[in-house]
Amino acid sequence: MNSGTTAADGDGRIGPSLRRNLEAIRSAMGGSQDVIFREFALQGGTEAALVYIDGLINSQLLHDSILESLLNGGASGAGPSLLDSVVKEILVAGDIGRTSELSVLYDNLLSGDAVLLLDGCEEAVRIGVSGAEDRNVTEPVSQSVTRGPMEAFNENLRTNSALIRKRIKDTRLRVESLHIGRVTKTNVALVYLSGIANDKIVEEVRIRLNRIDIDGILESGNIEEWIEDRTYTPFPTVYNSERPDTIAAGVLEGRVAILVDGTPFVLLVPALFVHFFQAAEDYTQRFDISSLIRTIRYLSLVITLLAPALYIAVTTFHQEMLPTNLLINLAAQREGVPFPAFIEALLMEITYEILREAGVRMPRTVGQAVSIVGTLVIGQAAVQAGIVSAVMVIIVSITAIASYVIPSGSMSITVRMLRFLFMGLAASFGLYGILIGLITLALHVSGLRSFGIPYMAPWAPIIPEDLKDTLFRLPIRKMTTRPRLISQNNIRRQSLEEGGGTMTRFGRTGATVAALLLMAALLAGCWNRRELNSLGIALGFGIDKFGDRYRISAQVVDPGEVASSRPTTPGRSPVVLYKAEAPTVFEALRIFGS
Amino acid sequence: MLATILVLAAAAGAAAIDLPRLFRKGWTREGTVYAAMLAAGAAMSVAAANVARAPSSVNVIVSLFKPVADRVFSFMGWKG
Amino acid sequence: MSARLEPGVINARQMAVLAFLIVVGDSILIVPSLCAYAADQDAWISGLLGAALGIPMLGLTLALYNRYPGCNLFEIVLRLCGPWAGAAVSLLYLYYFLLGAGSLIREIGDFMTIQIMPETPLRAVHFLLILVLLFALWSGLESLVRSAELFFPSFMLLFASLILFLLPKIDAARLQPMFASGWSHIVHGSLYMIIYPYSDAIMLAMILPSVRTSGRLTRDFLLATALGGFAIFLVILLAILVLGPYLTATSVYPTYALAKKINIGSFLQRVEAIQAIDWVLSTFYKAALFNYGFVVGTAQLLRLRDYRFLALPTGFILFGFAYLVAPNVPFYNDVLFKYFPFWDLLLTAAVPVLLLLLHAIRGRSSGSPRPANE
């Protein structure tokens, strides 16, 4: 980190001569125009200079308070004592420090401090007046909610740590700073709750961060790749968010946040698989709603991962699984398609990925045009041109939409990537291939760890008390403990739940399961169910008597001929006449039924 | 023929990847076992890949237990 | 023995999941047919009897392990029998494990190529499966067990759906006449219920040393295997109730035939390919543990310093072995019906009993269990 190679002569100390010092700074900065040297004389006549970088400091503040007070305040003494008096009696700034090293001076200068040098003093005073242009705290762009806080982090590390502090007002909240990057010297801060976070994990994070040796860190993604447990895995093992409430919730669970100056995306470790499916809104909505949405998210995971693969497997290997009507329908649609199902699927999925990437990269102004073209390509036109079947378009669309239901962007991309692998397996081995792929995937994710914590933690290994916030979210009152593996020393979150119910825990779940089972047993009993297309709609009805026999005739509509959307087949009547004859009306009706 | 070549190439590939690593670590014993198992495996795999007619590996068990099994089955009156 | 070969540690619950999968795996596919062939419509009684007799057999494995905590099967054998006799017995077990893994791979291969993908070559199915088996071996015991835990809920869900969806199809008359086949045949049927689910569970002696010590190990273990036995019993019962004894006995994979019968409102039908996932999955875990036992046993016997590096050669051996196990399915089924039970009983009942006796004799002569060598 502080490798001491700031500039060619950055190792020297500050000398007594102001002129010489300023010369040294000027040559170290290579005469950059944005370094301002404001020379002036104190009231006692001592030469002084304020050095700062234009744009990094708040010039209003500098002029109005610092410079003003320096020019007007009466300081006495000479040399070191003069400096003391300036610091103690004149300077109105709060954040002040002293140094005698040139290298430290450069660091301060570059991180947005103004530096005050006095003639005859071998020390410089650093004045914190940093005020570079920052974005305001705005609404989160990538993780929006309909209910919940609307603040997002911005690019300033101090603002970000303050946003967390605003939410956790506890003395145990620790903010540890360090600098990473030999050239960029990026400010990085570790935020955790001491006493709740696992000390071993905090120590591990420190070790891994200190191991980073790189010239520049421009975004938290650079750090993420350095501190991952395993590089060669498609799965993210570090969570990132731009929402202060998400990060604060993570810190409260005992996880460690890593803030990086210059990016609104804050890292959170350890990050387990389930964390990528939790969204901030899960905790602001009521538990039943959240549970339903959670379930839908996992369903979307399955759809994103497997929908195209299952389509390929079923249509090319296991046609018997489809109901006959659907099969005929599909076959009719695929009649003109010149590609095998796999190529068809691949074509459409890749087209979609291209469109998506274009949508992200292109300038806002042409967005409209591209989206119109896109709809045409993976929509009507492709089907009408006979290149793909309509079902394929549906599959691609549902896959695409489902992939965005996964709240975390990094996990969503992972799943979309793996989807292609499964399509290949399905194309060569059908469902067997998909199963083999799933086993491989399960073996892989089971072996992953995030900062020592098994990646699939509450599921594998199963930790029953942590399952409350995974597939379902239990009511907040039930979530009495922190995740056990992450925070090992302080687990209890709230006082014990109320002792309201008379049924025991098992009794209630047992009763629910039994009720569900009973309902499932009724599944087979849709006795009076009739499908629309097996239904004959009678428009006219007549009974004739021929001697002692009755003839019943009924006029039944052919829906295909009446419906206005489809062209009618010439020469086909929209109605069909059915007749039945029997000695009694009842018998004739019976014949009708069969 | 193609199948044989494929199997042998795969075996050679496996040996080329793993054996130097083992011997570099000084694991002579492990390397020897590895080579022996690989040779046996490759021989069997060649037979399998060519769908060759070969005696079943359970024939030992069958011939070993045939007298016992036949006697037990007939004594108990079991179907078999 | 020197340092432990397996660095991974699992807990009692994970062990129970594995035990369940091992009991159910493969047996769920082949046992109903064998039982029904032996005992006709009384196969379900055989199932109950077999489970009742099979669970005590697991007690044998546990008893052996409790005498030598921290030792896997091969260590126990080598300690009790000495280096030479121990090596001979170890070789027998190695062959048993290899045969187990090979024949299970072959069973999956046969099942896939006969029932689901008739035009795919057997070798291709084997190849893919062996790749995953090797990946499992290479990932280590911990990953294997955790992935089993991951699949466990979906396995149970699929299994429950099989049972539930078949309820409308049952016909109690198919159980009549009860006890008609006579006790001898019922005992015969129960033989298969003892052998294939429970005997094979001796492979768990290979992973018992990796289980974190907990007082509930025995309870969890027996509970899981009992549950597994109950699952197989349910399948046998359903097969008799839905298909009848004749069809159950004559079809190679009655469970598959059973799944074909599912028809809920003419919509939920022909889901046998989905149900097949369950059987391939459980059989995979059983094969993976047989394979694990084989490789770790080899490393133990030859005093190697690791076992994972043996993955690739093992793959070749398995690929060859799975093919060589049997020339065709009828031969294999014949072996399974007539000869395999005796071989299994020799290694999973007779040898463990002998080992226990040996331990008792040694214990009496020297006072405490003492390692024979080293």
Side-chain angles (χ1 to χ4, degrees), chain C residues 15-346:
Chain C
M15 175 73 184
V17 169
L18 270 192
F20 177 84
L21 284 176
I22 281 167
V23 169
V24 170
D26 159 54
S27 311
I28 199 169
L29 209 52
I30 58 163
V31 166
S33 164
L34 295 170
C35 278
Y37 188 72
D40 294 325
Q41 69 273 17
D42 291 332
W44 63 280
I45 307 173
S46 298
L48 272 187
L49 186 68
L53 294 174
I55 295 170
M57 277 200 52
L58 292 174
L60 219 56
T61 309
L62 277 179
L64 202 56
Y65 177 71
N66 285 337
R67 306 278 186 287
Y68 294 90
C71 291
N72 66 29
L73 185 62
F74 288 87
E75 284 171 299
I76 297 174
V77 167
L78 285 171
R79 272 190 177 194
L80 272 173
C81 307
W84 291 108
V89 178
S90 295
L91 275 178
L92 269 182
Y93 273 115
L94 279 186
Y95 188 68
Y96 170 77
F97 282 140
L98 185 59
L99 196 60
S103 54
L104 287 181
I105 294 170
R106 177 59 177 265
E107 248 167 53
I108 294 181
D110 278 338
F111 173 66
M112 294 310 293
T113 50
I114 289 175
Q115 298 285 6
I116 301 180
M117 305 191 296
E119 274 142 64
T120 310
L122 187 64
R123 287 163 293 163
V125 177
H126 283 176
F127 179 71
L128 210 60
L129 190 65
I130 286 169
L131 278 189
V132 188
L133 278 175
L134 297 189
F135 185 62
L137 189 68
W138 185 74
S139 316
L141 183 64
E142 274 187 351
S143 295
L144 182 75
V145 178
R146 282 199 210 125
S147 67
E149 257 181 321
L150 266 187
F151 280 122
F152 188 67
S154 25
F155 178 91
M156 289 310 262
L157 211 67
L158 267 180
F159 185 77
S161 71
L162 175 77
I163 306 288
L164 270 179
F165 291 154
L166 281 172
L167 284 183
K169 300 267 164 194
I170 56 180
D171 177 5
R174 296 204 172 96
L175 289 184
Q176 307 282 342
M178 263 189 226
F179 299 103
S181 41
W183 280 106
S184 164
H185 287 113
I186 291 177
V187 169
H188 182 196
S190 71
L191 190 61
Y192 303 106
M193 185 67 183
I194 299 172
I195 299 297
Y196 296 115
Y198 289 111
S199 284
D200 286 351
I202 197 173
M203 73 176 102
L204 289 172
M206 294 303 293
I207 57 170
L208 277 173
S210 302
V211 181
R212 198 179 292 129
T213 33
S214 120
R216 296 183 309 173
L217 176 63
T218 313
R219 193 201 70 179
D220 284 5
F221 185 77
L222 293 180
L223 210 64
T225 47
L227 198 66
F230 182 65
I232 302 172
F233 160 72
L234 272 183
V235 172
I236 299 178
L237 187 65
L238 267 180
I240 303 287
L241 282 170
V242 175
L243 299 173
Y246 179 74
L247 265 180
T248 308
T250 46
S251 60
V252 187
Y253 306 107
T255 322
Y256 189 74
L258 210 51
K260 277 186 179 171
K261 289 276 176 192
I262 293 179
N263 184 352
I264 303 293
S266 328
F267 175 73
L268 197 67
Q269 53 183 346
R270 302 303 304 268
V271 288
E272 64 269 12
I274 303 279
Q275 290 289 342
I277 288 176
D278 242 18
W279 312 319
V280 175
L281 203 61
S282 50
T283 312
F284 166 81
Y285 279 101
K286 198 167 174 179
L289 279 177
F290 264 133
N291 186 25
Y292 176 82
F294 170 69
V295 176
V296 173
T298 309
Q300 195 86 63
L301 186 63
L302 300 172
R303 289 201 216 97
L304 307 183
R305 274 163 279 198
D306 191 11
Y307 68 91
R308 285 173 206 217
F309 72 94
L310 285 176
L312 279 176
T314 313
F316 280 94
I317 293 183
L318 284 179
F319 186 71
F321 219 80
Y323 167 76
L324 293 175
V325 160
N328 49 45
V329 181
F331 173 85
Y332 181 70
N333 282 342
D334 191 41
V335 173
L336 224 50
F337 187 72
K338 231 176 150 180
Y339 308 110
F340 232 79
F342 296 96
W343 156 254
D344 256 26
L345 279 179
L346 171 72

